[in-house]
Amino acid sequence: MDITGITDPPDALADVLSGIQRLIRRRVRSGLTGPRLRGAQVELLQLALANPGISVSAAARELYLAGNSVSTLVNQLTAADLLVRETDPDDRRTARLLATPEAESRLRTWHDRRTALVREHVGRLGENDRAALAAALPALRRLAESLHEEVEGP
């Protein structure tokens, strides 16, 4: 046990973060219209929105997924009218991905609901807890960067 009284802080952190994420997803999903999107579908839509015209292979690299997995996601999202696949005029073998206005609207709604939910619950905490969360953010960002670098490799 360390000075915090927690036997394994990294394990406890992983458990708390995944629990918070799961609870946020469940709460935000309730009341949303349209078919439910899985995490990888949302990630692909966010990527296509941030990088209009991204290729399937580039999306696979960014998401650390196999190309055929991304192709399956593309097929699902195009069938749902949330993603458009266009042929690259310079290389007809390459598909370019564009999020539809419907996808953009759904992602914005999700983000707004998530922000409001977290803001509400953080606001319920005491001042010391809010300060502790704010103080932890730089370390959590560095942790995220370290994890990202490890996935990317040197």
Side-chain angles (χ1 to χ4, degrees):
M1 203 174 299
D2 73 359
I3 60 170
T4 64
I6 298 172
T7 304
D8 188 356
D11 189 46
L13 175 64
D15 287 347
V16 167
L17 291 176
S18 64
I20 288 171
Q21 185 63 22
R22 184 175 47 257
L23 290 167
I24 288 172
R25 272 194 317 267
R26 286 181 183 159
R27 291 284 309 275
V28 171
R29 275 187 199 136
S30 67
L32 288 178
T33 59
R36 189 168 122 189
L37 298 175
R38 294 177 310 144
Q41 292 172 320
V42 171
E43 289 177 6
L44 179 56
L45 288 175
Q46 289 171 329
L47 185 62
L49 191 58
N51 302 280
I54 191 168
S55 69
V56 173
S57 60
R61 280 191 305 276
E62 283 289 318
L63 297 174
Y64 305 104
L65 294 172
N68 62 340
S69 296
V70 173
S71 291
T72 298
L73 294 171
V74 168
N75 290 336
Q76 294 165 349
L77 294 168
T78 54
D81 294 324
L82 296 172
L83 195 65
V84 173
R85 177 182 22 211
E86 294 182 347
T87 302
D88 185 328
D90 297 328
D91 182 355
R92 302 209 43 85
R93 298 169 296 169
T94 302
R96 299 288 174 193
L97 306 175
L98 300 161
T100 65
E102 171 67 18
E104 185 174 358
S105 174
R106 286 186 67 176
L107 291 175
R108 187 173 36 259
T109 298
W110 176 273
H111 178 267
D112 292 348
R113 288 176 60 113
R114 184 187 68 182
T115 299
L117 175 68
V118 174
R119 181 170 285 133
E120 174 189 343
H121 286 270
V122 168
R124 293 179 184 177
L125 298 174
E127 188 174 329
N128 288 344
D129 284 340
R130 289 193 309 271
L133 287 174
L137 288 175
L140 291 170
R141 283 190 185 103
R142 287 189 295 275
L143 176 60
E145 289 169 5
S146 176
L147 290 165
H148 184 74
E149 289 168 2
E150 185 175 297
V151 171
E152 283 187 344

